[in-house]
């Protein structure tokens, strides 16, 4: 996983944001155990291929916090890369999501659920309160942004 050369910080709502990016390669079969084979095929189409299909997911992780006056950084990019390696790459990269990842045994491996899984794993390794959003690109046109559970309407 490589952190892009242009990854950096920008100001939003007086808090600074830091972006890390990685590529994730994982095969999957989209299938709900609650649906018949016919309904799965109709709902998921070619993504329901029983032999699976692969994705090169692009994952963007945004954290936020104050700029440290000593280091001039929100978080060291090397540290963010290490967190992403531990929470995303080790468990998911080059793994069959449906067969190798227990989380997806009962959860359909849609990009939405991949984003939730990544969020939950990052929450385990990042300092509390710094994770801002996870953005998963399945393709150039299929992109999911997840910012965690909403605390209420209007959030």
């Amino acid at each position: 996983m490589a952190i892009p050369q242009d990854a950096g910080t920008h100001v939003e709502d007086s808090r600074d944001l830091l972006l890390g990016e990685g590529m994730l390669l994982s095969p999957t079969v989209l299938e709900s155990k609650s649906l018949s084979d016919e309904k799965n095929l109709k709902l998921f189409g070619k993504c329901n291929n029983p032999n699976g299909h692969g994705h090169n997911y692009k994952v963007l992780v945004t954290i936020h916090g104050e700029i440290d006056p000593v280091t001039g950084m929100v978080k060291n990019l090397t540290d963010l890369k290490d967190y992403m390696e531990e929470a995303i790459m080790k468990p998911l990269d080059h793994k069959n999501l449906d067969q190798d990842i227990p989380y997806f045994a009962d959860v359909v491996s849609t990009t939405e659920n991949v984003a939730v899984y990544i969020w939950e794993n990052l929450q385990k390794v990042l300092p509390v309160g710094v994770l801002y959003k996870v953005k998963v690109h399945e393709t150039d046109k299929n992109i999911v942004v997840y910012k965690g559970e909403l605390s209420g309407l209007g959030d």
Side-chain angles (χ1 to χ4, degrees):
M1 175 183 67
I3 300 294
Q5 295 288 339
D6 61 346
T9 61
H10 67 277
V11 176
E12 182 177 293
D13 296 333
S14 77
R15 305 234 357 171
D16 291 293
L17 304 175
L18 181 72
L19 178 70
E21 176 180 316
M23 291 297 295
L24 174 67
L25 304 133
S26 297
T28 185
V29 176
L30 293 187
E31 174 181 49
S32 172
K33 294 178 181 174
S34 302
L35 300 174
S36 68
D37 290 345
E38 182 180 303
K39 287 184 180 180
N40 271 305
L41 183 57
K42 184 175 181 179
L43 179 63
F44 298 116
K46 65 183 179 181
C47 295
N48 181 245
N49 180 343
N51 295 320
H53 67 288
H55 285 292
N56 296 330
Y57 297 99
K58 181 165 97 174
V59 179
L60 299 162
V61 173
T62 306
I63 61 172
H64 64 153
E66 303 297 329
I67 294 177
D68 182 304
V70 175
T71 67
M73 298 183 279
V74 174
K75 181 63 102 180
N76 187 310
L77 277 173
T78 301
D79 293 341
L80 181 56
K81 179 183 173 191
D82 291 344
Y83 290 131
M84 292 176 68
E85 179 70 26
E86 184 66 28
I88 302 169
M89 302 310 291
K90 281 183 182 177
L92 296 177
D93 195 30
H94 288 83
K95 304 277 176 56
N96 184 306
L97 297 181
D98 305 304
Q99 295 176 9
D100 299 332
I101 312 301
Y103 179 90
F104 292 107
D106 296 314
V107 174
V108 181
S109 56
T110 60
T111 306
E112 293 88 341
N113 285 326
V114 170
V116 170
Y117 176 87
I118 290 170
W119 176 278
E120 291 175 358
N121 268 13
L122 283 167
Q123 289 282 66
K124 295 173 188 173
V125 298
L126 284 169
V128 174
V130 301
L131 185 56
Y132 179 69
K133 72 180 172 184
V134 170
K135 188 175 196 179
V136 180
H137 295 246
E138 179 183 286
T139 67
D140 289 339
K141 296 180 181 179
N142 187 10
I143 301 165
V144 171
V145 175
Y146 186 69
K147 293 182 178 182
E149 302 252 349
L150 297 178
S151 60
L153 295 176
D155 285 347

